[in-house]
Amino acid sequence: MEMPEVRQQIVIQAPIEEVWTFVNNLRNWATEMPGYQDFREIDADHSVWQLKGDAGILQKRVTFDARVTKREPPTRVEFTLHGIDEQLDGAGSFTAAPTADGATQVDLTLALEAGGLMGPVISALLAKTLPRDVARLAVAIKERVEAAAATGRTEAPTCN
Amino acid sequence: MAVDRWDLEVDLVAVGSGIGGLAAAITAHDCGLSAVVLEKAGLLGGVTAYSMGEVWIGANHLQEEAGLADSVEETITYLKWLGAHYGQEELMRNFVETAPKALQYFTEKAGLRLKIIKDFSDYYYPTGECSKPEGRFLEPEPFPGALLGEWASKTRMSPLMPSGITHDEMFSWGNAANLRGWNWELYGQRVAEDIRTFGPALAAYFVKAALNRGIPLHLETPAIALIRDGGRVIGVRAQKNGRDFLVRARRGVVLATGGYDWNREMAHYYEQLPEWNSSCPPEVTGDHLVMAGEVGAIVASVPAVGLPAMLGMNVPGEEHDGVPLFRGVITEAGLPHAILVNKQGHRFADESFYRAFMTAVRTFDGKTQSYPNWPCFIIFDQNHRDKYPFCAIGPGKPLPEGFAVKADSIGELADRLGIDREGLEETVRRYNQYARDGYDPEFSRGSYPWANTFDGDMKVKPNPNMAPLEKPPFWGVRPTITGMGINAAGLKVNTHSQVINLRGEPIPGLYAAGNAVAFLDIGAGYQSGISNARGMVQGYQAALHAAGR
């Protein structure tokens, strides 16, 4: 079974630089993911995410090791996800392009695949929930960036 | 309560969208009544969707078609034995006689498709009087979720059941004992295509039948109270979108809200157990007892020992609907290479048969004012971890931190778990010899065919439920007690599913179905599949009575 990849396109009413400021920080992705539980930064390219799965028999918190594999400011970020306590592997990307009217066209992708004995079933369940989750992620990013652009702040607030 | 204006007026209001509420609404519609279903949760299907989807009915038409002999009288004889002669005969006979008719009705009129689970015996076959080796246990045929249209995502799936495959497939692949032998590609393909089985399929068949009839299904609409005119129940005060939603019921209200698993106080009063958790969705909070109690209904109970509270565990991090997910630990101790012991390190029951060990867990010693078998511990070895799942954690997969205690020897494990060391060492030594012999002279472990099929490893000879604990490291867990929504106490009903008041009279306009109803028809015993069958039967006959049939 192929890794279920989901793509979502959105237009964010903000200049590409402001969009980039937001998505360049992986914390902003993690905290807007459906089921977000926790985020721990190791360094700028390496972090640990905890997300709560909501996919049929997979109803648990899963911890992922997330690594940025490519950065091409201000247009592209690629990252990988590796399940620490579950056999789940995935990858995501963000691609941005300015539009003629000063907004930003964004292309999000996210793929997750389960391994192990139950891999085919978990992957099938993920294929059902991933489109919903990526759509929610896209809307959340759009809302956050547009709200931040309106107030001049594109960094996510942090709690230390 | 005087009502100036109803938000909705129908003939029959079904409170709850499990099999009981939906069966009532469907039957009412077919009798020419208007019906509505009010569901507290954001999803349809209730505990039915969480169940194994088994429906246990004796003398059913599928048996007849398959040439499997059975009769109403034999089924009653078995149920009397099963219920330790505690069941009320009039109610029992009504259930046994009505169940095949209701099954045939929903099959012919509502598109329900059940089939006999092959070679799956009654719990107590062959010991129980008139028990049967096959034919009474039914399961849903696979149901394509696409048939539900936009309601597919609003109809519950189960985090507990392998929806996508059938009992027959699961058993033919070796059940839990042989996960590596399962056809995971087929299972994954079915999931991808939203082919539902087990409880999710059973719920889906009834949801589909309700949708086909245009019966309104209101989600997130909890019923709060019954509305009366004189002594008659004439409607329901529910809540919808944060305000009162008053629904008139010209012919009747059917309370099919399930049990009270998530109402800690009720569970404490009625189940009388030292601990309590639940596998049910968190909306199962005993609303039927509150609403019916306010209009004078009597709460009845059967001996709690008869009903299926299970051992269960929460795998750290597993949640559903915002609460911890407790999985029943039913098969784990009954598989080879595992035993169940108390703090003295002694086995106390047949681990392959949950009915046996759960009744033993409830044992109370009045001399010491304590439960001698509680807490209990499942002890297993690395062979068990290598071969079998534990609480849905696959074979060979690491157990999460804090879930289990591990040690290199049985004695060390006993110390770490706080169990008597010598007691456990002696128990394991003795059990290992029994396992090699294939015979358990203390508790007859593995003597029921049901237990062999359900939690045995058919590759293990001579006893599929027994193999020694001999490969280190050794493991131990302390489970909790986990309800399955099938409770000791509930509403008392008559043979028309009318709710009975404290004076022994039916409350006009009020009915109940399924796990909301006390198991007076069965008594001090349980057989998987009865809960779903009762819901279907009681919902069916409530609607017939409300329609004047």
Side-chain angles (χ1 to χ4, degrees):
Chain A
M1 190 172 289
E2 289 181 17
M3 184 184 290
E5 180 182 274
V6 177
R7 170 165 294 186
Q8 183 77 35
Q9 291 185 317
I10 47 168
V11 174
I12 298 178
Q13 298 300 327
I16 192 168
E17 291 76 16
E18 293 190 23
V19 176
W20 175 256
T21 303
F22 184 86
V23 300
N24 188 36
N25 184 348
L26 233 54
R27 174 189 294 273
N28 292 333
W29 288 75
T31 55
E32 294 303 335
M33 289 286 284
Y36 165 75
Q37 301 289 320
D38 190 34
F39 175 88
R40 185 162 52 88
E41 185 172 281
I42 309 294
D43 60 41
D45 288 338
H46 184 197
S47 51
V48 176
W49 304 8
Q50 191 182 59
L51 306 174
K52 183 180 170 298
D54 177 25
I57 53 175
L58 184 70
Q59 297 278 341
K60 63 185 297 186
R61 296 175 188 197
V62 180
T63 306
F64 289 99
D65 185 270
R67 291 175 189 268
V68 175
T69 53
K70 183 184 279 187
R71 272 185 215 273
E72 294 175 354
T75 59
R76 188 161 174 84
V77 177
E78 294 178 15
F79 61 92
T80 60
L81 294 171
H82 171 69
I84 294 172
D85 42 14
E86 287 293 326
Q87 288 177 281
L88 287 169
D89 285 291
S93 70
F94 157 88
T95 308
T99 65
D101 60 358
T104 305
Q105 169 80 42
V106 169
D107 194 352
L108 294 176
T109 68
L110 191 62
L112 268 181
E113 184 180 43
L117 205 56
M118 302 177 191
V121 175
I122 303 292
S123 291
L125 290 165
L126 288 170
K128 289 178 189 298
T129 55
L130 216 53
R132 174 199 69 189
D133 291 347
V134 174
R136 288 180 184 169
L137 173 67
V139 169
I141 290 176
K142 175 181 167 64
E143 288 176 353
R144 284 279 303 276
V145 173
E146 290 178 354
T151 60
R153 178 179 176 178
T154 47
E155 280 293 326
T158 58
C159 300
N160 295 314
Chain B
M1 176 180 176
V3 176
D4 297 329
R5 186 185 61 80
W6 297 97
D7 293 296
L8 183 63
E9 297 190 39
V10 295
D11 294 319
L12 184 136
V13 178
V15 182
S17 66
I19 192 170
L22 291 170
I26 292 162
T27 308
H29 175 92
D30 292 357
C31 291
L33 305 184
S34 57
V36 65
V37 177
L38 308 181
E39 170 55 53
K40 181 182 187 180
L43 296 168
L44 297 167
V47 174
T48 304
Y50 265 43
S51 76
M52 296 194 73
E54 292 163 356
V55 179
W56 188 91
I57 294 176
N60 67 69
H61 70 276
L62 297 170
Q63 284 172 291
E64 192 175 342
E65 289 166 15
L68 298 168
D70 199 1
S71 69
V72 164
E73 295 309 320
E74 284 180 288
T75 308
I76 289 173
T77 301
Y78 176 67
L79 282 183
K80 282 182 178 174
W81 184 93
L82 177 78
H85 297 274
Y86 195 92
Q88 294 185 2
E89 184 154 0
E90 183 189 20
L91 294 173
M92 183 184 288
R93 177 168 290 280
N94 174 65
F95 167 67
V96 173
E97 288 179 348
T98 310
K101 296 175 192 166
L103 171 65
Q104 200 141 16
Y105 178 82
F106 289 107
T107 301
E108 291 172 3
K109 306 289 186 189
L112 178 64
R113 294 287 174 268
L114 300 185
K115 65 185 177 65
I116 291 169
I117 303 173
K118 286 179 201 158
D119 300 320
F120 201 35
S121 68
D122 291 342
Y123 272 7
Y124 289 94
Y125 177 80
T127 305
E129 286 179 67
C130 294
S131 56
K132 294 289 178 186
E134 185 183 19
R136 292 169 175 167
F137 258 124
L138 311 176
E139 69 166 329
E141 298 270 12
F143 181 94
L147 295 178
L148 298 174
E150 64 176 302
W151 288 89
S153 62
K154 298 174 190 167
T155 302
R156 271 192 197 284
M157 298 299 288
S158 171
L160 305 170
M161 300 299 159
S163 177
I165 61 171
T166 64
H167 280 67
D168 285 342
E169 288 166 338
M170 185 173 74
F171 292 153
S172 72
W173 298 337
N175 204 8
N178 187 34
L179 279 193
R180 290 193 173 90
W182 285 28
N183 187 340
W184 290 96
E185 289 298 329
L186 174 67
Y187 182 5
Q189 188 182 332
R190 297 250 184 91
V191 169
E193 293 168 0
D194 195 13
I195 303 297
R196 304 182 184 194
T197 58
F198 282 76
L202 186 61
Y205 276 108
F206 281 85
V207 170
K208 174 63 177 165
L211 292 172
N212 285 350
R213 287 160 173 76
I215 296 169
L217 307 169
H218 291 261
L219 296 173
E220 297 179 317
T221 310
I224 306 300
L226 299 167
I227 300 170
R228 277 188 300 174
D229 182 5
R232 183 178 180 83
V233 172
I234 59 163
V236 172
R237 177 167 69 85
Q239 291 231 305
K240 193 171 178 67
N241 300 322
R243 68 170 192 86
D244 276 353
F245 183 64
L246 305 180
V247 186
R248 183 180 180 194
R250 286 183 286 259
R251 298 292 187 96
V253 173
V254 181
L255 296 177
T257 54
Y260 46 70
D261 270 40
W262 282 95
N263 185 320
R264 300 272 172 179
E265 200 170 15
M266 286 184 188
H268 182 67
Y269 294 160
Y270 299 130
E271 300 298 323
Q272 300 163 9
L273 283 162
E275 288 181 18
W276 183 261
N277 285 290
S278 176
S279 291
C280 291
E283 290 84 5
V284 179
T285 54
D287 301 347
H288 55 299
L289 297 184
V290 176
M291 288 188 279
E294 286 176 332
V295 299
I298 188 169
V299 176
S301 71
V302 295
V305 69
L307 292 175
M310 308 285 187
L311 296 181
M313 292 189 75
N314 171 240
V315 177
E318 281 202 321
E319 297 173 3
H320 64 150
D321 295 359
V323 297
L325 176 67
F326 284 88
R327 295 184 182 277
V329 180
I330 302 165
T331 62
E332 283 77 352
L335 283 162
H337 308 292
I339 56 173
L340 185 63
V341 300
N342 57 22
K343 282 197 74 126
Q344 282 67 50
H346 299 155
R347 294 175 64 220
F348 53 86
D350 172 3
E351 298 94 334
S352 70
F353 194 52
Y354 82 87
R355 301 269 317 128
F357 64 73
M358 284 313 299
T359 49
V361 157
R362 292 172 182 266
T363 302
F364 190 78
D365 180 358
K367 190 166 183 179
T368 58
Q369 284 296 95
S370 65
Y371 294 89
N373 298 324
W374 192 256
C376 63
F377 305 85
I378 301 172
I379 308 295
F380 49 106
D381 74 352
Q382 188 59 37
N383 276 319
H384 193 284
R385 278 311 302 132
D386 291 342
K387 292 195 271 188
Y388 309 131
F390 202 107
C391 221
I393 301 164
K397 207 171 165 186
L399 297 176
E401 201 177 325
F403 182 78
V405 172
K406 178 182 170 185
D408 290 331
S409 70
I410 290 292
E412 187 185 342
L413 185 68
D415 291 344
R416 291 191 182 175
L417 288 167
I419 299 173
D420 182 86
R421 184 185 185 110
E422 288 180 6
L424 185 62
E425 287 176 333
E426 171 57 18
T427 295
V428 171
R429 189 196 61 73
R430 206 163 55 237
Y431 169 79
N432 283 352
Q433 188 55 53
Y434 299 161
R436 290 184 194 101
D437 297 342
Y439 174 63
D440 173 13
E442 293 184 61
F443 301 108
S444 304
R445 176 170 167 150
S447 57
Y448 281 130
W450 180 89
N452 302 153
T453 305
F454 196 75
D455 53 10
D457 181 344
M458 299 310 265
K459 295 195 296 294
V460 172
K461 308 287 181 192
N463 186 328
N465 293 100
M466 294 182 76
L469 287 75
E470 55 192 3
K471 182 179 177 184
F474 299 96
W475 303 82
V477 298
R478 181 205 182 285
T480 184
I481 297 174
T482 300
M484 301 279 163
I486 302 165
N487 303 138
L491 298 171
K492 182 178 180 182
V493 299
N494 63 14
T495 55
H496 302 297
S497 304
Q498 288 180 287
V499 175
I500 303 300
N501 70 14
L502 286 157
R503 294 190 179 276
E505 300 157 346
I507 299 172
L510 186 61
Y511 303 86
N515 292 336
V517 176
F519 276 69
L520 299 170
D521 46 352
I522 308 300
Y526 189 73
Q527 162 78 55
S528 180
I530 282 182
S531 174
N532 284 329
R534 288 172 86 242
M536 182 176 75
V537 169
Q538 290 163 341
Y540 168 76
Q541 61 189 10
L544 290 179
H545 187 267
R549 302 287 176 92

